[in-house]
Amino acid sequence: MKKILLVSTILFLAQNVFAQNKLPKNLKQVVMYLDKNCPDNIKIQIKNTHQDSLIYTVYPFAKSKPYKDYRTIFNWTSENGNPKITKYLDKKGIFDHHSKVLLYSFKQYLINGKIKEKDILRKYIKFQKQLDDKNKIKYITDTINKVYIPKDLEDCFVQINTFWNDSIKAKVKTLEENEFTGKVHLGFGTWMRNNWQLWGGSRLSKYFNDLNIYHPDDMSGIILVSYHRHLNNKEIRLEEQVKYYQDYWENSKKMELKGKIEAFSKYKIGDTLEFGYQKGFVSKEQEDKYDNGICTAKGIITERNEKDFLIKVKLIETCDKKGIIYYDNDGDIIYDPKTKRSGSPPKRIIKKVKRNKEQWFEYKDWETVE
């Protein structure tokens, strides 16, 4: 019992310490935080690693413990991480590779005991411009990162023929089509998707986009199936392959829609619902009560919007006089026509509804009460 109480106390204190730590909003605050937060063995690894390989010193690219367990920088720079530091870098004109910027800054701090923030920003602003210049031509250039990019399916065959010798091609010919594609999807298939820039964009991905094929897995699948048929002197039947993937995604959309219709049908006017707090809490007190099972928000459906799968709910019960949150744009991604990039909204907006008031909600925000 004492051990349980001790563990609970430690967890409680850890949570409070974490809550009190403010998220860094510039590089100087980043390195000061990391200096206190980062274990010594990981500091040594970061300090002694070349700047081009720093991302391999921590999660998600590190392969061994304790490095692969250190998630602080990833948590800050991921989609729902630390909006302060990511917005800070975005405003400086650094839109990509935020993790690299933070790791490089920390490396400089570990070496020199301080950082020259302006110099670091200048370095990565220049790097960003170089990336942008590459992106402008990536859909027309024949080489990206010193790798030749095929222009079409036939060109893919030419390149694969240069990779594989006659004995490998002879072995490939003996395999059944599905067996071959299954064997190489994660190996050579991954190489194609990464190096031929099917994820990042290239003239080859544009070739497939023009065929209405958009997922890199589908692109590499078509390449592999077509190459196997090419080796075996069979018809490639490209149109048939394209239609297969188009039908797959169309059927997926239909199944998703069918599921939404079935789920939405359970929400009827007059039903009493229980709120799921998926958008967060209006106060720490409300969150604590919810965690302890003593905070319930209930509402009654007054209208239904079947087209958009929305329900209008009158809030009849809540444990906080401030009501409940029905909208929070934190984590949303919007397109900025000025920078021509997608990113977080410039300002966080939270909307609430109070008891005895009505508001439209996504039906998934509420659960039906049996």
Side-chain angles (χ1 to χ4, degrees), residues 158-175:
V158 173
Q159 293 307 305
I160 296 174
N161 281 336
T162 65
F163 300 153
W164 292 346
N165 58 35
D166 291 342
S167 61
I168 293 177
K169 284 184 276 189
K171 174 65 177 176
V172 169
K173 289 177 69 174
T174 65
L175 299 174

Side-chain angles (χ1 to χ4, degrees), residues 246-263:
Q246 290 174 341
D247 289 347
Y248 169 83
W249 290 111
E250 186 63 30
N251 289 332
S252 295
K253 289 179 182 178
K254 288 180 180 178
M255 291 299 294
E256 182 181 357
L257 179 60
K258 181 181 178 182
K260 289 181 73 173
I261 292 172
E262 290 178 356

Side-chain angles (χ1 to χ4, degrees), residues 58-233:
V58 292
Y59 182 88
F61 297 106
K63 294 183 178 179
S64 59
K65 289 188 175 185
Y67 315 106
K68 69 177 183 179
D69 294 330
Y70 189 68
R71 294 171 172 253
T72 299
I73 292 173
F74 172 80
N75 290 341
W76 284 346
T77 56
S78 59
E79 186 174 312
N80 296 314
N82 175 6
K84 292 181 179 179
I85 191 61
T86 54
K87 286 180 181 178
Y88 170 77
L89 293 174
D90 286 348
K91 287 181 179 179
K92 297 295 182 180
I94 304 171
F95 304 99
D96 303 306
H97 302 290
H98 289 169
S99 292
K100 287 185 177 181
V101 180
L102 303 191
L103 282 163
Y104 178 77
S105 300
F106 191 39
K107 175 182 173 69
Q108 295 303 306
Y109 176 81
L110 293 173
I111 293 173
N112 303 310
K114 60 181 180 179
I115 63 168
K116 295 180 179 179
E117 188 151 350
K118 289 184 179 179
D119 290 348
I120 294 173
L121 291 172
R122 194 178 298 114
K123 170 186 174 71
Y124 281 95
I125 289 170
K126 181 180 178 181
F127 179 62
Q128 182 69 59
K129 289 180 179 178
Q130 292 172 344
L131 284 177
D132 291 343
D133 289 340
K134 287 182 179 180
N135 284 335
K136 289 177 182 177
I137 63 169
K138 67 181 180 181
Y139 292 108
I140 57 175
T141 186
D142 63 2
T143 304
I144 298 177
N145 297 331
K146 299 181 180 180
V147 176
Y148 177 80
I149 308 296
K151 61 183 178 181
D152 54 24
L153 202 53
E154 292 291 335
D155 204 8
C156 289
F157 301 163
V158 173
Q159 293 307 305
I160 296 174
N161 281 336
T162 65
F163 300 153
W164 292 346
N165 58 35
D166 291 342
S167 61
I168 293 177
K169 284 184 276 189
K171 174 65 177 176
V172 169
K173 289 177 69 174
T174 65
L175 299 174
E176 292 293 326
E177 187 175 287
N178 289 340
E179 183 183 7
F180 165 65
T181 56
K183 282 179 177 292
V184 298
H185 175 76
L186 292 178
F188 181 62
T190 299
W191 185 93
M192 286 193 300
R193 291 187 290 275
N194 291 341
N195 289 277
W196 285 349
Q197 301 299 318
L198 301 183
W199 290 105
S202 65
R203 66 175 184 172
L204 183 58
S205 71
K206 185 180 183 303
Y207 163 79
F208 281 107
N209 291 165
D210 291 341
L211 295 174
N212 293 319
I213 297 295
Y214 300 99
H215 198 292
D217 283 344
D218 300 347
M219 299 177 194
S220 62
I222 290 175
I223 294 170
L224 293 171
V225 166
S226 300
Y227 182 71
H228 186 270
R229 292 176 181 177
H230 168 74
L231 278 184
N232 285 282
N233 296 315

Side-chain angles (χ1 to χ4, degrees), residues 268-300:
K268 304 183 185 302
I269 293 176
D271 283 355
T272 299
L273 308 174
E274 193 168 299
F275 192 57
Y277 293 97
Q278 296 185 35
K279 302 292 193 300
F281 302 90
V282 297
S283 65
K284 184 68 168 60
E285 182 183 4
Q286 186 183 60
E287 183 177 7
D288 291 341
K289 286 182 178 180
Y290 178 79
D291 289 340
N292 291 322
I294 56 174
C295 180
T296 301
K298 291 184 178 180
I300 296 176

